[in-house]
Amino acid sequence: MAGIHIHDIELAINWWRERSPSPDGVTACAEVRALAEVYAYMVYYRENEADEHSMPPKARDAWLAWYASTPDAPCIAICSTAQGDAICKGCGRTEDEVQDWPVLSPGEKRMVWRRITLEAKAWRFNRYAERARASTGSDHPAAETFPPHPPEGAA
């Protein structure tokens, strides 16, 4: 089961709120309402993840539309798994995750993104973060998704 983390549901809701703002300050678009129902159940049942395959179709479609707006792979084109590392120093994915990436579902990919973001050990999150923050290309996440810049001298 690939779980969609509640944080991703929140990001999708806010993405849709920006794309389709309320005309009267009260009414939400259909996509926000569909995602909000999933979010409400998650909060009520104290669940951190929703199964991507059992989500209601409208909520899944709304989530997938948001997902399509995010960077696909965390790769920064410095792959150390090709040199025998079990975990890539560049992006933080395991060798299996790198190899299987094209066949992973969107939920599985987001689970990997969440793990490597929380770990924040890969070069994508430290040595090359400044370049990614400065980039405006579609292959980099928005600057606000990165952890705060480490203090001078921190590794």
mmCIF file with all atom_site columns, all heavy atoms in Angstrom, residues 69-89:
data_model
loop_
_atom_site.group_PDB
_atom_site.id
_atom_site.type_symbol
_atom_site.label_atom_id
_atom_site.label_alt_id
_atom_site.label_comp_id
_atom_site.label_asym_id
_atom_site.label_entity_id
_atom_site.label_seq_id
_atom_site.pdbx_PDB_ins_code
_atom_site.Cartn_x
_atom_site.Cartn_y
_atom_site.Cartn_z
_atom_site.occupancy
_atom_site.B_iso_or_equiv
_atom_site.pdbx_formal_charge
_atom_site.auth_seq_id
_atom_site.auth_comp_id
_atom_site.auth_asym_id
_atom_site.auth_atom_id
_atom_site.pdbx_PDB_model_num
ATOM 1   N N   . SER A 1 69 ? 2.251  18.698 -10.857 1.00 0.00 ? 69 SER A N   1
ATOM 2   C CA  . SER A 1 69 ? 2.916  20.008 -10.811 1.00 0.00 ? 69 SER A CA  1
ATOM 3   C C   . SER A 1 69 ? 4.213  19.969 -10.000 1.00 0.00 ? 69 SER A C   1
ATOM 4   O O   . SER A 1 69 ? 4.928  20.963 -9.942  1.00 0.00 ? 69 SER A O   1
ATOM 5   C CB  . SER A 1 69 ? 1.976  21.058 -10.215 1.00 0.00 ? 69 SER A CB  1
ATOM 6   O OG  . SER A 1 69 ? 1.862  20.894 -8.807  1.00 0.00 ? 69 SER A OG  1
ATOM 7   N N   . THR A 1 70 ? 4.511  18.843 -9.374  1.00 0.00 ? 70 THR A N   1
ATOM 8   C CA  . THR A 1 70 ? 5.711  18.719 -8.542  1.00 0.00 ? 70 THR A CA  1
ATOM 9   C C   . THR A 1 70 ? 6.842  18.092 -9.353  1.00 0.00 ? 70 THR A C   1
ATOM 10  O O   . THR A 1 70 ? 6.595  17.427 -10.353 1.00 0.00 ? 70 THR A O   1
ATOM 11  C CB  . THR A 1 70 ? 5.433  17.853 -7.292  1.00 0.00 ? 70 THR A CB  1
ATOM 12  O OG1 . THR A 1 70 ? 5.137  16.513 -7.703  1.00 0.00 ? 70 THR A OG1 1
ATOM 13  C CG2 . THR A 1 70 ? 4.301  18.418 -6.461  1.00 0.00 ? 70 THR A CG2 1
ATOM 14  N N   . PRO A 1 71 ? 8.091  18.275 -8.915  1.00 0.00 ? 71 PRO A N   1
ATOM 15  C CA  . PRO A 1 71 ? 9.207  17.622 -9.619  1.00 0.00 ? 71 PRO A CA  1
ATOM 16  C C   . PRO A 1 71 ? 9.065  16.107 -9.507  1.00 0.00 ? 71 PRO A C   1
ATOM 17  O O   . PRO A 1 71 ? 8.685  15.596 -8.459  1.00 0.00 ? 71 PRO A O   1
ATOM 18  C CB  . PRO A 1 71 ? 10.452 18.090 -8.876  1.00 0.00 ? 71 PRO A CB  1
ATOM 19  C CG  . PRO A 1 71 ? 10.018 19.117 -7.905  1.00 0.00 ? 71 PRO A CG  1
ATOM 20  C CD  . PRO A 1 71 ? 8.533  19.072 -7.790  1.00 0.00 ? 71 PRO A CD  1
ATOM 21  N N   . ASP A 1 72 ? 9.374  15.411 -10.594 1.00 0.00 ? 72 ASP A N   1
ATOM 22  C CA  . ASP A 1 72 ? 9.203  13.953 -10.564 1.00 0.00 ? 72 ASP A CA  1
ATOM 23  C C   . ASP A 1 72 ? 10.273 13.279 -9.725  1.00 0.00 ? 72 ASP A C   1
ATOM 24  O O   . ASP A 1 72 ? 9.977  12.639 -8.730  1.00 0.00 ? 72 ASP A O   1
ATOM 25  C CB  . ASP A 1 72 ? 9.202  13.372 -11.984 1.00 0.00 ? 72 ASP A CB  1
ATOM 26  C CG  . ASP A 1 72 ? 9.038  11.859 -11.969 1.00 0.00 ? 72 ASP A CG  1
ATOM 27  O OD1 . ASP A 1 72 ? 8.082  11.375 -11.334 1.00 0.00 ? 72 ASP A OD1 1
ATOM 28  O OD2 . ASP A 1 72 ? 9.879  11.163 -12.557 1.00 0.00 ? 72 ASP A OD2 1
ATOM 29  N N   . ALA A 1 73 ? 11.508 13.397 -10.121 1.00 0.00 ? 73 ALA A N   1
ATOM 30  C CA  . ALA A 1 73 ? 12.590 12.673 -9.449  1.00 0.00 ? 73 ALA A CA  1
ATOM 31  C C   . ALA A 1 73 ? 13.467 13.627 -8.648  1.00 0.00 ? 73 ALA A C   1
ATOM 32  O O   . ALA A 1 73 ? 13.694 14.762 -9.048  1.00 0.00 ? 73 ALA A O   1
ATOM 33  C CB  . ALA A 1 73 ? 13.437 11.936 -10.472 1.00 0.00 ? 73 ALA A CB  1
ATOM 34  N N   . PRO A 1 74 ? 13.991 13.148 -7.528  1.00 0.00 ? 74 PRO A N   1
ATOM 35  C CA  . PRO A 1 74 ? 14.879 13.979 -6.715  1.00 0.00 ? 74 PRO A CA  1
ATOM 36  C C   . PRO A 1 74 ? 16.316 14.016 -7.233  1.00 0.00 ? 74 PRO A C   1
ATOM 37  O O   . PRO A 1 74 ? 17.180 14.639 -6.630  1.00 0.00 ? 74 PRO A O   1
ATOM 38  C CB  . PRO A 1 74 ? 14.814 13.319 -5.336  1.00 0.00 ? 74 PRO A CB  1
ATOM 39  C CG  . PRO A 1 74 ? 14.445 11.911 -5.601  1.00 0.00 ? 74 PRO A CG  1
ATOM 40  C CD  . PRO A 1 74 ? 13.615 11.911 -6.852  1.00 0.00 ? 74 PRO A CD  1
ATOM 41  N N   . CYS A 1 75 ? 16.572 13.387 -8.352  1.00 0.00 ? 75 CYS A N   1
ATOM 42  C CA  . CYS A 1 75 ? 17.925 13.276 -8.901  1.00 0.00 ? 75 CYS A CA  1
ATOM 43  C C   . CYS A 1 75 ? 18.540 14.656 -9.150  1.00 0.00 ? 75 CYS A C   1
ATOM 44  O O   . CYS A 1 75 ? 17.879 15.562 -9.651  1.00 0.00 ? 75 CYS A O   1
ATOM 45  C CB  . CYS A 1 75 ? 17.871 12.496 -10.212 1.00 0.00 ? 75 CYS A CB  1
ATOM 46  S SG  . CYS A 1 75 ? 19.488 12.256 -10.960 1.00 0.00 ? 75 CYS A SG  1
ATOM 47  N N   . ILE A 1 76 ? 19.826 14.791 -8.790  1.00 0.00 ? 76 ILE A N   1
ATOM 48  C CA  . ILE A 1 76 ? 20.565 16.017 -9.095  1.00 0.00 ? 76 ILE A CA  1
ATOM 49  C C   . ILE A 1 76 ? 21.713 15.711 -10.058 1.00 0.00 ? 76 ILE A C   1
ATOM 50  O O   . ILE A 1 76 ? 22.655 16.486 -10.175 1.00 0.00 ? 76 ILE A O   1
ATOM 51  C CB  . ILE A 1 76 ? 21.075 16.725 -7.816  1.00 0.00 ? 76 ILE A CB  1
ATOM 52  C CG1 . ILE A 1 76 ? 22.037 15.822 -7.038  1.00 0.00 ? 76 ILE A CG1 1
ATOM 53  C CG2 . ILE A 1 76 ? 19.914 17.206 -6.963  1.00 0.00 ? 76 ILE A CG2 1
ATOM 54  C CD1 . ILE A 1 76 ? 22.784 16.543 -5.924  1.00 0.00 ? 76 ILE A CD1 1
ATOM 55  N N   . ALA A 1 77 ? 21.615 14.557 -10.740 1.00 0.00 ? 77 ALA A N   1
ATOM 56  C CA  . ALA A 1 77 ? 22.582 14.134 -11.750 1.00 0.00 ? 77 ALA A CA  1
ATOM 57  C C   . ALA A 1 77 ? 23.969 13.850 -11.176 1.00 0.00 ? 77 ALA A C   1
ATOM 58  O O   . ALA A 1 77 ? 24.971 14.019 -11.845 1.00 0.00 ? 77 ALA A O   1
ATOM 59  C CB  . ALA A 1 77 ? 22.657 15.132 -12.895 1.00 0.00 ? 77 ALA A CB  1
ATOM 60  N N   . ILE A 1 78 ? 24.003 13.475 -9.911  1.00 0.00 ? 78 ILE A N   1
ATOM 61  C CA  . ILE A 1 78 ? 25.242 13.011 -9.276  1.00 0.00 ? 78 ILE A CA  1
ATOM 62  C C   . ILE A 1 78 ? 24.869 11.694 -8.599  1.00 0.00 ? 78 ILE A C   1
ATOM 63  O O   . ILE A 1 78 ? 24.509 11.661 -7.435  1.00 0.00 ? 78 ILE A O   1
ATOM 64  C CB  . ILE A 1 78 ? 25.780 14.025 -8.241  1.00 0.00 ? 78 ILE A CB  1
ATOM 65  C CG1 . ILE A 1 78 ? 26.050 15.352 -8.899  1.00 0.00 ? 78 ILE A CG1 1
ATOM 66  C CG2 . ILE A 1 78 ? 27.029 13.469 -7.573  1.00 0.00 ? 78 ILE A CG2 1
ATOM 67  C CD1 . ILE A 1 78 ? 26.462 16.445 -7.935  1.00 0.00 ? 78 ILE A CD1 1
ATOM 68  N N   . CYS A 1 79 ? 24.912 10.613 -9.371  1.00 0.00 ? 79 CYS A N   1
ATOM 69  C CA  . CYS A 1 79 ? 24.421 9.323  -8.871  1.00 0.00 ? 79 CYS A CA  1
ATOM 70  C C   . CYS A 1 79 ? 25.571 8.458  -8.396  1.00 0.00 ? 79 CYS A C   1
ATOM 71  O O   . CYS A 1 79 ? 26.379 7.987  -9.194  1.00 0.00 ? 79 CYS A O   1
ATOM 72  C CB  . CYS A 1 79 ? 23.627 8.610  -9.955  1.00 0.00 ? 79 CYS A CB  1
ATOM 73  S SG  . CYS A 1 79 ? 22.752 7.179  -9.303  1.00 0.00 ? 79 CYS A SG  1
ATOM 74  N N   . SER A 1 80 ? 25.629 8.236  -7.112  1.00 0.00 ? 80 SER A N   1
ATOM 75  C CA  . SER A 1 80 ? 26.705 7.409  -6.564  1.00 0.00 ? 80 SER A CA  1
ATOM 76  C C   . SER A 1 80 ? 26.320 5.935  -6.512  1.00 0.00 ? 80 SER A C   1
ATOM 77  O O   . SER A 1 80 ? 27.173 5.099  -6.231  1.00 0.00 ? 80 SER A O   1
ATOM 78  C CB  . SER A 1 80 ? 27.119 7.913  -5.181  1.00 0.00 ? 80 SER A CB  1
ATOM 79  O OG  . SER A 1 80 ? 26.094 7.693  -4.239  1.00 0.00 ? 80 SER A OG  1
ATOM 80  N N   . THR A 1 81 ? 25.046 5.593  -6.783  1.00 0.00 ? 81 THR A N   1
ATOM 81  C CA  . THR A 1 81 ? 24.688 4.171  -6.809  1.00 0.00 ? 81 THR A CA  1
ATOM 82  C C   . THR A 1 81 ? 25.363 3.487  -7.985  1.00 0.00 ? 81 THR A C   1
ATOM 83  O O   . THR A 1 81 ? 25.633 2.282  -7.924  1.00 0.00 ? 81 THR A O   1
ATOM 84  C CB  . THR A 1 81 ? 23.164 3.951  -6.875  1.00 0.00 ? 81 THR A CB  1
ATOM 85  O OG1 . THR A 1 81 ? 22.654 4.554  -8.052  1.00 0.00 ? 81 THR A OG1 1
ATOM 86  C CG2 . THR A 1 81 ? 22.473 4.506  -5.654  1.00 0.00 ? 81 THR A CG2 1
ATOM 87  N N   . ALA A 1 82 ? 25.664 4.237  -9.042  1.00 0.00 ? 82 ALA A N   1
ATOM 88  C CA  . ALA A 1 82 ? 26.375 3.671  -10.187 1.00 0.00 ? 82 ALA A CA  1
ATOM 89  C C   . ALA A 1 82 ? 27.805 3.286  -9.804  1.00 0.00 ? 82 ALA A C   1
ATOM 90  O O   . ALA A 1 82 ? 28.427 2.462  -10.478 1.00 0.00 ? 82 ALA A O   1
ATOM 91  C CB  . ALA A 1 82 ? 26.390 4.664  -11.346 1.00 0.00 ? 82 ALA A CB  1
ATOM 92  N N   . GLN A 1 83 ? 28.321 3.865  -8.739  1.00 0.00 ? 83 GLN A N   1
ATOM 93  C CA  . GLN A 1 83 ? 29.661 3.533  -8.262  1.00 0.00 ? 83 GLN A CA  1
ATOM 94  C C   . GLN A 1 83 ? 29.618 2.534  -7.105  1.00 0.00 ? 83 GLN A C   1
ATOM 95  O O   . GLN A 1 83 ? 30.624 2.308  -6.443  1.00 0.00 ? 83 GLN A O   1
ATOM 96  C CB  . GLN A 1 83 ? 30.412 4.798  -7.803  1.00 0.00 ? 83 GLN A CB  1
ATOM 97  C CG  . GLN A 1 83 ? 30.970 5.631  -8.941  1.00 0.00 ? 83 GLN A CG  1
ATOM 98  C CD  . GLN A 1 83 ? 29.889 6.422  -9.658  1.00 0.00 ? 83 GLN A CD  1
ATOM 99  O OE1 . GLN A 1 83 ? 29.036 7.017  -9.024  1.00 0.00 ? 83 GLN A OE1 1
ATOM 100 N NE2 . GLN A 1 83 ? 29.933 6.411  -10.973 1.00 0.00 ? 83 GLN A NE2 1
ATOM 101 N N   . GLY A 1 84 ? 28.462 1.969  -6.831  1.00 0.00 ? 84 GLY A N   1
ATOM 102 C CA  . GLY A 1 84 ? 28.364 0.920  -5.828  1.00 0.00 ? 84 GLY A CA  1
ATOM 103 C C   . GLY A 1 84 ? 27.782 1.317  -4.485  1.00 0.00 ? 84 GLY A C   1
ATOM 104 O O   . GLY A 1 84 ? 27.667 0.478  -3.600  1.00 0.00 ? 84 GLY A O   1
ATOM 105 N N   . ASP A 1 85 ? 27.408 2.582  -4.292  1.00 0.00 ? 85 ASP A N   1
ATOM 106 C CA  . ASP A 1 85 ? 26.799 2.989  -3.021  1.00 0.00 ? 85 ASP A CA  1
ATOM 107 C C   . ASP A 1 85 ? 25.382 2.413  -2.915  1.00 0.00 ? 85 ASP A C   1
ATOM 108 O O   . ASP A 1 85 ? 24.638 2.408  -3.894  1.00 0.00 ? 85 ASP A O   1
ATOM 109 C CB  . ASP A 1 85 ? 26.720 4.513  -2.909  1.00 0.00 ? 85 ASP A CB  1
ATOM 110 C CG  . ASP A 1 85 ? 28.066 5.152  -2.644  1.00 0.00 ? 85 ASP A CG  1
ATOM 111 O OD1 . ASP A 1 85 ? 28.997 4.433  -2.235  1.00 0.00 ? 85 ASP A OD1 1
ATOM 112 O OD2 . ASP A 1 85 ? 28.187 6.371  -2.854  1.00 0.00 ? 85 ASP A OD2 1
ATOM 113 N N   . ALA A 1 86 ? 25.020 1.956  -1.746  1.00 0.00 ? 86 ALA A N   1
ATOM 114 C CA  . ALA A 1 86 ? 23.659 1.440  -1.535  1.00 0.00 ? 86 ALA A CA  1
ATOM 115 C C   . ALA A 1 86 ? 22.640 2.575  -1.536  1.00 0.00 ? 86 ALA A C   1
ATOM 116 O O   . ALA A 1 86 ? 21.498 2.391  -1.943  1.00 0.00 ? 86 ALA A O   1
ATOM 117 C CB  . ALA A 1 86 ? 23.596 0.673  -0.217  1.00 0.00 ? 86 ALA A CB  1
ATOM 118 N N   . ILE A 1 87 ? 23.075 3.751  -1.071  1.00 0.00 ? 87 ILE A N   1
ATOM 119 C CA  . ILE A 1 87 ? 22.209 4.942  -1.062  1.00 0.00 ? 87 ILE A CA  1
ATOM 120 C C   . ILE A 1 87 ? 22.937 6.044  -1.815  1.00 0.00 ? 87 ILE A C   1
ATOM 121 O O   . ILE A 1 87 ? 24.102 6.325  -1.554  1.00 0.00 ? 87 ILE A O   1
ATOM 122 C CB  . ILE A 1 87 ? 21.877 5.387  0.371   1.00 0.00 ? 87 ILE A CB  1
ATOM 123 C CG1 . ILE A 1 87 ? 21.073 4.291  1.076   1.00 0.00 ? 87 ILE A CG1 1
ATOM 124 C CG2 . ILE A 1 87 ? 21.118 6.706  0.379   1.00 0.00 ? 87 ILE A CG2 1
ATOM 125 C CD1 . ILE A 1 87 ? 20.717 4.573  2.499   1.00 0.00 ? 87 ILE A CD1 1
ATOM 126 N N   . CYS A 1 88 ? 22.252 6.665  -2.753  1.00 0.00 ? 88 CYS A N   1
ATOM 127 C CA  . CYS A 1 88 ? 22.857 7.708  -3.576  1.00 0.00 ? 88 CYS A CA  1
ATOM 128 C C   . CYS A 1 88 ? 23.194 8.927  -2.719  1.00 0.00 ? 88 CYS A C   1
ATOM 129 O O   . CYS A 1 88 ? 22.345 9.440  -1.985  1.00 0.00 ? 88 CYS A O   1
ATOM 130 C CB  . CYS A 1 88 ? 21.906 8.100  -4.703  1.00 0.00 ? 88 CYS A CB  1
ATOM 131 S SG  . CYS A 1 88 ? 22.558 9.419  -5.751  1.00 0.00 ? 88 CYS A SG  1
ATOM 132 N N   . LYS A 1 89 ? 24.418 9.384  -2.832  1.00 0.00 ? 89 LYS A N   1
ATOM 133 C CA  . LYS A 1 89 ? 24.838 10.574 -2.093  1.00 0.00 ? 89 LYS A CA  1
ATOM 134 C C   . LYS A 1 89 ? 24.191 11.831 -2.656  1.00 0.00 ? 89 LYS A C   1
ATOM 135 O O   . LYS A 1 89 ? 24.009 12.808 -1.951  1.00 0.00 ? 89 LYS A O   1
ATOM 136 C CB  . LYS A 1 89 ? 26.358 10.713 -2.142  1.00 0.00 ? 89 LYS A CB  1
ATOM 137 C CG  . LYS A 1 89 ? 27.074 9.652  -1.354  1.00 0.00 ? 89 LYS A CG  1
ATOM 138 C CD  . LYS A 1 89 ? 28.576 9.775  -1.500  1.00 0.00 ? 89 LYS A CD  1
ATOM 139 C CE  . LYS A 1 89 ? 29.246 8.667  -0.715  1.00 0.00 ? 89 LYS A CE  1
ATOM 140 N NZ  . LYS A 1 89 ? 30.520 8.285  -1.275  1.00 0.00 ? 89 LYS A NZ  1
#
